[in-house]
Amino acid sequence: MSRNVREAVWSPDREQIRNMKMYRLMEKNGIADYDEFFQRSVGDAAWFWEEVTKDLGLEWFRPYRQVLDRSDGAPWPKWFVEGKINAAHNCLDRFVKDPRARNRLAVIWEGDDGEVRKRTYRELWTEVNAFARGLKQLGVGRGDRIAIYLPMVVENVVAMLAAARIGAIFTPCFSGYGAEAVATRLKDCKAKVLVTADGFLRRGKTIPMKEEADKAADLSPCVEKVVVVRRLNRKDCPLNEERDIDWDVLMSNRKALSAEATDADTPFMIIYTSGTTGRPKGTVHIHSGFPVKAAFDAGYSMDVGVGDTLFWMTDMGWMMGPWMVFGSLMNGATMVLFEGTPDYPEPDRVWMIVDTHGVTHLGVSPTAIRALMKFGDRWLEGHDLDTLRVFGSTGEPWNPEPWSWLFEKVGKKKVPIWNYSGGTEISGGILSSNLMKPIVPCSFNGPMPGMDADVVDEEGHPVRGEVGELVVRQPWVGMTRGFWEDPGRYENTYWSRWPNLWVHGDWVQVDDEGYWFITGRSDDTLKIAGKRLGPAEVESILVDHPSVVEAATIGVPDPDKGEAAVCFTVLKPGVAGDENLKRELVTSVAEKMGKALKPKEIHFVSDLPKTRNGKILRRAIKAAYTGKDAGDLSSLENPGAVEAVQQSSAN
């Protein structure tokens, strides 16, 4: 990453700090200094996470005997031993029984076509009870798995919470998956029920969904029933009379149903994350894990609370979807679900949503901002964005130009960008910006409270000032309880390199001022002439060029340097990708990074392979370029971009 901008551009004032939920938690524990609070949070994990659950006001069906039990070793901590709790109960029931809270908005849904639906906490609770009864009617009980393959609709949230309510386990599937990808997940977790929709709208077009769901169910003998949400009321939607059941039929009994008193470590969600090799990894999350971590990260670090409206542009199949659900509801806030795309029907759609629904916390990816930037500042005009208090960002490293555009043009230098990085296996973040401290563009202030993170060299020794491997030294609430029915793969993935150290797979650099920068995934990292290099460092230089919109860098074998950089760039409309421009870009990298690190080749492509939540999939680029297997690519939003890489490489 380019290090040409070092000065903090945003700092909180004293009143902002004192109004933060994080500060009030510190004050409650007699701690005035944030650094002291952080050190105590990682020095005494049991104390910290117990204080968080108390401050959140979580309700237990049976008190826990012990906060943290490490007797099974570092990979397998037990949290809130012998306690009984239910995530759905803590999202809804404790608010519904409060007359001041039950009529607050829980969910605002906006469709691709502009239709809006809203649910209060009480209305959502009523629907969750009804669908929970419907699942029981289908024979779903404790420990049974249901898969949710739905667009971003309210029913998605209802199905998740209903499954958790009865002690079942839900598996969210990305709405853009094809049948094979869905079937892989259905078969791996042996899902008994598949919840889907007849279709959804995307950029004004009908996208059939039931057909793919049927193919996936046909490939998965474990699936007994397919529940169909009539999102579009398609008359031509296929019907399997033996297997299908209408969502509305299951919603007929709206009597209250008490939540199951599940053990604290009972799984409630299996969410899959793609691997570089082999089948997707089913990360297992428990009632006292993911919801608590999401609630802390959203509520205390991002400062989402009662009266706030959180809108994260994502899909329920990615971690940030469930994170938004539990992060908002556990804090008594409102979430916005959006079915459409950020630039349809016009490039101001996101800003319209912020204005219309009074969004206070907006989550975006750097890729989305790069895409919106190219339309120009005029699309911001006429929209009242004064409700915005915090931007959230995750998914990939920032480049300076889009970061500055979001901060300066959209936020008018008043709205901080809460940079956030972790993963599906984490239940949220390892690193984040700190809204109680100054923020430097593209950076993190460091590890989040409760996350004992470090950066180490190839021998596992701590390093500063150079790129190293991101590790975590202590357990945390939200840590995945392994991979579904594959504990060996889990231990090998995260715990096999150094004893008792979680190796996350990110390359990180900590500068002299203590700011942390992610330079890329460690499996994406280049090692050129003995120097370790994160792809984001090269990419930031390339996108600084006025002709370049996006860039991706991979490493390929080189007889002289061991490895060399090959870059793929997307140019602005109307720009000619000729040899002169290639030379300019190569020269720019050489001047700023050193001649030894200049790219071996630069290719111009129309698009880069991305997941729907905006991550550039560099391993897909590398596989296309080298002709090797890329592993699981089911999360790709635009498979045609892989072919574009292959064609450009062949030329």
Side-chain angles (χ1 to χ4, degrees):
M1 178 176 295
S2 175
R3 300 287 189 264
N4 57 333
V5 181
R6 285 296 196 176
E7 293 183 5
V9 296
W10 180 89
S11 295
D13 60 37
R14 183 166 177 77
E15 185 181 358
Q16 286 173 313
I17 293 172
R18 293 185 67 86
N19 286 334
M20 279 192 67
K21 196 184 293 187
M22 182 93 79
Y23 182 83
R24 295 198 296 272
L25 178 60
M26 290 165 50
E27 211 172 27
K28 186 182 289 187
N29 285 278
I31 302 172
D33 178 68
Y34 173 83
D35 293 333
E36 179 188 342
F37 175 70
F38 172 78
Q39 289 302 326
R40 190 167 175 193
S41 79
V42 295
D44 190 346
W47 165 82
F48 173 71
W49 289 108
E50 183 173 36
E51 288 303 314
V52 169
T53 59
K54 286 179 180 177
D55 200 60
L56 282 167
L58 299 190
E59 295 182 350
W60 297 83
F61 296 115
R62 185 175 75 193
Y64 47 85
R65 175 180 58 80
Q66 180 182 357
V67 177
L68 174 58
D69 178 357
R70 305 173 187 243
S71 60
D72 288 340
W76 305 104
K78 295 190 186 79
W79 290 93
F80 306 107
V81 179
E82 295 181 14
K84 286 189 178 290
I85 194 171
N86 186 284
H89 174 91
N90 278 287
C91 283
L92 297 174
D93 296 59
R94 64 193 176 102
F95 296 110
V96 170
K97 66 186 179 184
D98 180 354
R100 299 166 301 174
R102 64 173 61 126
N103 293 319
R104 290 183 198 139
L105 276 182
V107 184
I108 300 170
W109 172 80
E110 182 166 316
D112 182 79
D113 57 356
E115 181 186 356
V116 173
R117 299 176 189 169
K118 299 179 181 181
R119 299 288 190 278
T120 65
Y121 272 78
R122 184 177 179 84
E123 289 167 340
L124 182 60
W125 174 81
T126 300
E127 292 188 21
V128 167
N129 276 282
F131 194 63
R133 287 188 177 277
L135 287 174
K136 278 181 165 286
Q137 183 183 322
L138 295 182
V140 177
R142 280 190 178 225
D144 288 334
R145 276 78 64 201
I146 75 163
I148 304 171
Y149 176 48
L150 284 171
M152 289 294 273
V153 288
V154 176
E155 290 86 349
N156 214 318
V157 178
V158 172
M160 290 164 59
L161 295 175
R165 191 170 192 83
I166 64 174
I169 304 169
F170 68 88
T171 294
C173 299
F174 169 46
S175 61
Y177 278 149
E180 291 281 349
V182 177
T184 298
R185 289 150 179 80
L186 295 176
K187 290 184 287 187
D188 189 73
C189 72
K190 298 180 177 63
K192 194 172 184 177
V193 171
L194 172 61
V195 183
T196 192
D198 56 355
F200 58 96
L201 297 177
R202 187 164 174 80
R203 306 187 75 82
K205 297 179 180 178
T206 295
I207 308 298
M209 201 171 198
K210 177 61 161 50
E211 288 82 346
E212 291 299 309
D214 281 345
K215 292 176 191 173
D218 290 343
L219 292 167
S220 310
C222 54
V223 174
E224 298 172 10
K225 292 291 181 182
V226 175
V227 180
V228 185
V229 175
R230 301 289 176 177
R231 159 70 184 100
L232 302 177
N233 290 309
R234 286 177 53 211
K235 293 181 179 178
D236 60 344
C237 181
L239 175 67
N240 181 325
E241 292 185 357
E242 293 183 2
R243 192 170 61 192
D244 293 353
I245 186 163
D246 197 274
W247 171 276
D248 290 340
V249 171
L250 292 182
M251 296 290 285
S252 57
N253 187 346
R254 299 204 165 208
K255 288 177 61 178
L257 177 69
S258 297
E260 290 283 334
T262 54
D263 291 336
D265 64 353
T266 296
F268 83 108
M269 175 175 70
I270 302 168
I271 185 165
Y272 286 84
T273 178
S274 297
T276 52
T277 59
R279 70 184 192 282
K281 301 169 290 189
T283 64
V284 179
H285 292 287
I286 61 176
H287 279 262
S288 66
F290 187 102
V292 178
K293 172 65 171 161
F296 174 79
D297 289 9
Y300 295 80
S301 188
M302 197 186 188
D303 203 38
V304 175
V306 173
D308 290 329
T309 300
L310 171 63
F311 169 35
W312 207 290
M313 284 190 288
T314 186
D315 187 274
M316 231 33 106
W318 309 133
M319 190 229 29
M320 292 308 296
W323 183 94
M324 176 170 61
V325 172
F326 292 96
S328 60
L329 296 181
M330 295 276 278
N331 285 292
T334 304
M335 79 184 87
V336 174
L337 304 181
F338 177 45
E339 179 186 46
T341 51
D343 61 350
Y344 179 84
E346 300 288 355
D348 61 347
R349 185 64 182 273
V350 172
W351 320 127
M352 286 181 65
I353 291 172
V354 170
D355 187 351
T356 303
H357 304 302
V359 173
T360 56
H361 295 69
L362 173 64
V364 293
S365 68
T367 294
I369 295 304
R370 284 193 292 266
L372 294 175
M373 258 179 69
K374 69 184 180 184
F375 295 111
D377 303 347
R378 69 184 182 91
W379 292 100
L380 298 168
E381 296 170 6
H383 299 296
D384 182 358
L385 306 181
D386 289 347
T387 56
L388 283 171
R389 287 201 295 113
V390 182
F391 293 118
S393 162
T394 193
E396 59 179 320
W398 277 99
N399 311 117
E401 187 183 2
W403 194 100
S404 297
W405 186 81
L406 178 64
F407 178 69
E408 295 173 7
K409 301 297 184 181
V410 185
K412 307 297 184 187
K413 300 184 180 180
K414 297 177 182 178
V415 182
I417 299 176
W418 182 69
N419 211 6
Y420 182 57
S421 183
T424 307
E425 307 89 328
I426 307 297
S427 297
I430 299 174
L431 307 177
S432 77
S433 302
N434 186 340
L435 301 181
M436 297 175 68
K437 291 195 170 189
I439 291 176
V440 165
C442 307
S443 73
F444 302 87
N445 290 91
M448 306 183 74
M451 303 303 296
D452 189 8
D454 203 352
V455 181
V456 301
D457 62 18
E458 292 178 348
E459 283 73 48
H461 302 135
V463 293
R464 292 293 182 268
E466 62 181 82
V467 175
E469 189 87 53
L470 179 64
V471 298
V472 185
R473 298 186 180 278
Q474 301 285 339
W476 65 93
V477 161
M479 202 171 110
T480 180
R481 289 288 291 170
F483 299 153
W484 182 252
E485 295 187 338
D486 199 348
R489 188 183 182 198
Y490 160 67
E491 290 186 359
N492 185 61
T493 300
Y494 295 108
W495 301 97
S496 60
R497 190 162 177 189
W498 295 293
N500 300 324
L501 277 187
W502 171 287
V503 179
H504 189 59
D506 278 343
W507 285 124
V508 171
Q509 184 173 357
V510 184
D511 73 7
D512 295 338
E513 290 81 37
Y515 290 100
W516 295 46
F517 295 84
I518 291 180
T519 63
R521 294 292 295 170
S522 53
D523 51 11
D524 290 335
T525 302
L526 294 72
K527 196 167 185 180
I528 301 173
K531 179 177 172 56
R532 194 180 293 147
L533 182 69
E537 297 189 71
V538 178
E539 292 160 7
S540 286
I541 294 169
L542 294 173
V543 298
D544 276 345
H545 192 283
S547 297
V548 178
V549 176
E550 285 186 306
T553 300
I554 62 170
V556 299
D558 182 83
D560 299 321
K561 299 179 181 179
E563 198 167 34
V566 174
C567 306
F568 296 82
T569 60
V570 179
L571 302 179
K572 290 182 179 177
V575 174
D578 55 24
E579 292 302 318
N580 289 333
L581 181 55
K582 283 187 181 182
R583 280 194 292 272
E584 266 187 61
L585 295 173
V586 169
T587 300
S588 180
V589 175
E591 288 176 351
K592 295 174 182 176
M593 298 291 298
K595 289 183 179 180
L597 302 177
K598 71 177 183 180
K600 179 179 182 179
E601 296 174 17
I602 289 184
H603 297 279
F604 301 123
V605 293
S606 57
D607 201 3
L608 296 171
K610 299 186 195 83
T611 62
R612 188 168 175 180
N613 61 340
K615 287 185 182 179
I616 294 172
L617 219 54
R618 293 179 186 84
R619 63 182 168 85
I621 297 172
K622 189 167 184 173
Y625 184 82
T626 60
K628 294 181 179 177
D629 179 23
D632 177 32
L633 295 179
S634 56
S635 61
L636 270 184
E637 166 80 352
N638 52 346
V642 176
E643 296 174 16
V645 170
Q646 289 172 328
Q647 290 171 2
S648 73
S649 307
N651 293 337

